[in-house]
Amino acid sequence: MPELPEVETVARGLRQTIPGRRILAVRLGKTDFIDDPAALELHLPGRRIESVERFGKFMLLRLSSSALNDSTQENGEGAAALLVHLGMTGHLAPQAAAEPHQKHTHVWLELDDGRELRYTDPRRFGRIAYLAGAALRDELLRFGAEPLEIGAEEFAGRIRSRSARIKALLLDQSVLRGVGNIYADESLWRAKIHPARQGSSLSVKEAETLRRMLQEILRHAIAMRGSSITNFLDAAGEPGEYQRRHRAYGREGEPCYRCRTPIRRIIVAGRSTHFCPNCQAKTRPKKARSARRIQKKKAKRGRG
DNA sequence: CGTTGAACCTGTTTGC
DNA sequence: TGCAAACAGGTTCAAC
């Protein structure tokens, strides 16, 4: 379920009721997706969750500086946080402790208000890590720019300096943090850029169009609480609505909304990639444009 | 530095 | 209906 808009939706839901709560105890099931399970059991009990932030596709639960009875143990560690990545099938939501848990629930954080913050993830492609101080800072430094905040110059620089395919670059979390398969395809469709083109082949203008389309789509998707392809639900149990706005993703064989050409599905960067073979030409569409320009020039000359 | 393919794991959909 | 294959919103790593 989780690209930037879906993670943002979950984070906003958690923000309603989680900040200020203290973690009393930790219970773990399967732990192969947790960086250091023992660190959770050691460091979380007693900590208060100060805030819930989104960082790319991660949720960052900022933790109070130290446990209640444990003021000296972590001197110098600095800011601490629990990083939660939902992978493909992860869910993080609070539930009354008395509520029976779902299958594939692997983490229970007992809170001080009778609820448990539970992490459920059938495929366990997600990731959970307790990090503090330099380790936290270094981990966050691995990631690229925030797609909603990046400016024109930096975006063009990060894209046009690379020979990798544009789709691969959009998915590369060290370039941009938070873009996944759906929103990569959607933004390339909107920008009329072929997903297999090299980043270095994009003009400044094309890069800027892509940045604007990407940001517009992400903002719109957040407003609609994300895309619910299978079973994504926000914190209130509501599905997102943005899947109804998809123009390329999941539309193989269906007509392009612009030109009615059937949407094609290919594999790029190892991922299903949906695009319009007519609107999103493989090479820069300069032939048609320059031909038109020449005609206009001729017409102008003729008139002048 | 970049690409490809496989791997991780389980559930659901599709096709014969 | 049944079973197997294909596919899934993500990331990482080895091999080239």
Side-chain angles (χ1 to χ4, degrees), chain A residues 1-2 29-34 84-93 101-108 118-128 231:
Chain A
M1 59 144 121
K30 289 186 179 175
T31 59
D32 54 356
F33 62 98
I34 300 174
V84 180
H85 194 299
L86 300 173
M88 299 263 256
T89 52
H91 295 266
L92 182 68
H101 63 75
Q102 290 180 294
K103 201 178 173 185
H104 305 301
T105 298
H106 304 299
V107 177
W108 294 259
R118 294 173 178 171
Y119 181 77
T120 302
D121 187 355
R123 285 176 78 177
R124 304 202 303 284
F125 276 12
R127 178 183 169 204
I128 291 183
N231 54 3

Side-chain angles (χ1 to χ4, degrees), chain A residues 3-4 79 102 106 139 166 174 215 245 248-249 256 263 276:
Chain A
E3 297 184 38
L4 188 154
Q102 290 180 294
H106 304 299
E139 178 62 22
I166 183 59
S174 70
Q215 293 187 339
R245 293 299 239 274
Y249 183 82
C256 172
I263 295 294
C276 171

Side-chain angles (χ1 to χ4, degrees), chain A residues 21-26 40-49 63-70 110:
Chain A
R21 299 275 60 79
R22 197 175 292 277
I23 298 169
L24 299 182
V26 174
L40 265 60
E41 295 174 310
L42 177 65
H43 296 295
L44 293 186
R47 296 288 187 95
R48 204 176 51 207
I49 301 169
L63 302 168
S64 59
S65 56
S66 67
L68 271 182
N69 307 318
D70 184 19
E110 185 189 335

Side-chain angles (χ1 to χ4, degrees), chain A residues 239-251:
Chain A
E241 294 292 334
Y242 193 74
Q243 67 279 5
R244 302 167 62 174
R245 293 299 239 274
H246 292 174
R247 292 295 181 262
Y249 183 82
R251 299 195 65 247

